[in-house]
Amino acid sequence: MTTEIQPFQIAIPQPDLDDLHARLTNARWAASVPGAGWERGVPVDYLKELAEYWRSGFDWRAQEKALNAYPQFVTEIDGQRIHFLHIRSARPDAKPLLITHGFPSSVAEFMTLIEPLVAPESDEDQAFHVIAPSLPGYGFSTPLAAQGWTLSRTARAWIELMRRLGYDRYGVHGGDVGSGVAGLVAGYAADHVTGVHVTTDPQTAANVATFLPGLADRLDATDPVDALALERMNAFRKEGSGYLAIQNSRPQTIGYGLVDSPILQLAWIAEKFELWTDLPIDRDQLLTTVSLFWFTGAGASAAHTLYDQFHSSDWGAPSPVPHGYAVFGADATVRKLVPAEQDAHWSEFERGQHFPAMECPDVLAADLRDFFGPLS
């Protein structure tokens, strides 16, 4: 690799596709128990049907072509290979916008969001030049070259990426892990960032809140809204945090299975898409993300970055730039769990949850335009 920015195209070798299909054909299936549902993990009948479609119906080459329709590049930053999409708008008034995906995701999350941002239907709507990097350890920002790729280190890499691209002023947006990265970019490069916009949903807010020291102590169990927030936090600790517990403590151990078994990698991601969404996501888009994890071995390397962040105390500093929050599947608990400045842009949407760029891209694009449009 080199610190120069080099064009990149996805080209998965045919033997890798053949190997995937063979592994899916010869998969060994865990037996279920009578009456078991999602509370015990991904139901076997659901996963068998999805795996068969991945093997015999899903057209990876078509998805590869669709991704390659967007200009892609690679460069080396801080010793790490970084892959990113860079789509420039034809509009002369377009503003640079850096967008970062989360877990378990990839830049494929933005395939239906990019067009509304780059080429909005109305000339009155703000347009953007979109820069969408793959997080270190995800997609083609692999393999990991070193330990220690925390949110803070990633944010500094994104700042360097924007400098290399020649952008002096830009907005930043993210969801899940990407929201943490976006906030840190704004904190470290406040002179260059026009604003930071993040997405969340009630369950994600509750999940994050469980790791914030003292937050639960500030909630009043006799208040109905606080009680619901506490209920969700407790449910996450008891029933929903297993995937993080293993990755935060033993990423290498789970990594063996994720890179050797396409069934495990499929279940690992499909479970979150099922539980963390309330609007339909195209099955091909889901499998595109799963395939990117499989072909690049990102299941293991992404787990290592989660481990690094869990063991890090570097969370950066608050940023003085304007903040925007888009809450999907909104209810009153998010206001209690997400500290927001009184003058922050705050939008609430009834539908959509953890993956709004895939669930309702037009809604997210409109909120990004509303927030960044007046900023300079």
Side-chain angles (χ1 to χ4, degrees):
M1 280 300 299
T2 171
T3 56
E4 294 181 0
I5 293 175
Q6 302 174 322
F8 178 82
Q9 288 272 282
I10 303 171
I12 299 301
Q14 186 59 42
D16 288 4
L17 270 171
D18 296 340
D19 175 68
L20 169 62
H21 294 159
R23 288 170 183 262
L24 291 170
T25 298
N26 298 315
R28 296 179 63 189
W29 292 94
S32 184
V33 295
W38 283 93
E39 74 281 355
R40 291 177 179 257
V42 184
V44 65
D45 290 343
Y46 169 89
L47 198 65
K48 280 186 175 181
E49 181 181 355
L50 189 58
E52 177 56 28
Y53 179 73
W54 194 16
R55 185 189 72 84
S56 62
F58 175 69
D59 187 347
W60 165 254
R61 293 302 183 199
Q63 299 303 314
E64 186 178 71
K65 182 179 179 180
L67 282 166
N68 282 335
Y70 298 118
Q72 298 176 62
F73 304 87
V74 289
T75 189
E76 183 180 299
I77 301 177
D78 193 10
Q80 176 62 43
R81 169 192 172 101
I82 299 296
H83 163 263
F84 62 99
L85 311 182
H86 184 197
I87 306 96
R88 291 188 60 84
S89 173
R91 289 264 298 271
D93 63 337
K95 297 179 178 181
L97 179 62
L98 172 67
I99 60 178
T100 305
H101 66 83
F103 174 87
S105 194
S106 69
V107 293
E109 178 177 342
F110 303 125
M111 288 179 69
T112 51
L113 177 67
I114 290 171
E115 194 64 23
L117 293 177
V118 173
E121 293 182 359
S122 172
D123 291 340
E124 296 180 358
D125 289 334
Q126 180 64 54
F128 298 94
H129 306 304
V130 174
I131 304 91
S134 297
L135 287 166
Y138 291 68
F140 296 98
S141 291
T142 51
L144 278 178
Q147 299 179 32
W149 275 99
T150 61
L151 303 185
S152 179
R153 188 174 179 181
T154 301
R156 295 184 187 279
W158 280 193
I159 294 167
E160 171 60 16
L161 174 63
M162 297 301 280
R163 186 196 68 79
R164 291 185 192 179
L165 292 174
Y167 292 121
D168 185 62
R169 294 282 289 171
Y170 50 89
V172 290
H173 160 76
D176 188 66
V177 172
S179 66
V181 174
L184 288 166
V185 170
Y188 294 140
D191 292 343
H192 299 281
V193 173
T194 60
V196 55
H197 180 281
V198 300
T199 63
T200 189
D201 60 87
Q203 188 58 62
T204 300
N207 296 356
V208 173
T210 62
F211 296 105
L212 299 179
L215 190 146
D217 296 334
R218 298 197 295 271
L219 298 177
D220 180 3
T222 64
D223 177 270
V225 175
D226 287 12
L228 178 57
L230 287 167
E231 180 183 335
R232 287 185 176 141
M233 293 166 68
N234 290 332
F236 177 68
R237 291 190 191 97
K238 183 177 180 180
E239 303 289 348
S241 61
Y243 77 100
L244 272 181
I246 186 62
Q247 292 178 114
N248 288 346
S249 61
R250 296 294 185 271
Q252 187 66 28
T253 302
I254 188 62
Y256 294 124
L258 291 170
V259 302
D260 187 61
S261 169
I263 297 300
L264 177 56
Q265 184 63 87
L266 177 63
W268 202 248
I269 294 177
E271 178 183 73
K272 301 312 174 194
F273 275 58
E274 175 68 22
L275 299 180
W276 292 352
T277 61
D278 70 355
L279 290 173
I281 288 178
D282 181 76
R283 184 165 56 169
D284 286 346
Q285 192 168 20
L286 161 62
L287 290 173
T288 298
T289 287
V290 177
S291 298
L292 287 171
F293 271 79
W294 174 254
F295 291 131
T296 64
S301 51
H304 278 284
T305 64
L306 293 172
Y307 174 96
D308 287 332
Q309 184 57 46
F310 186 74
H311 290 83
S312 171
S313 59
D314 183 4
W315 290 90
S319 170
V321 307
H323 281 62
Y325 300 86
V327 183
F328 290 85
D331 66 24
T333 64
V334 183
R335 278 284 192 180
K336 295 291 186 77
L337 299 175
V338 177
E341 303 79 2
Q342 287 188 347
D343 59 347
H345 169 95
W346 186 276
S347 299
E348 296 185 354
F349 305 99
E350 182 179 351
R351 302 301 306 277
Q353 289 191 30
H354 191 73
F355 301 101
M358 287 187 278
E359 295 177 81
C360 44
D362 291 342
V363 173
L364 178 56
D367 199 61
L368 289 168
R369 289 194 293 266
D370 289 345
F371 174 66
F372 287 107
L375 303 179
S376 60

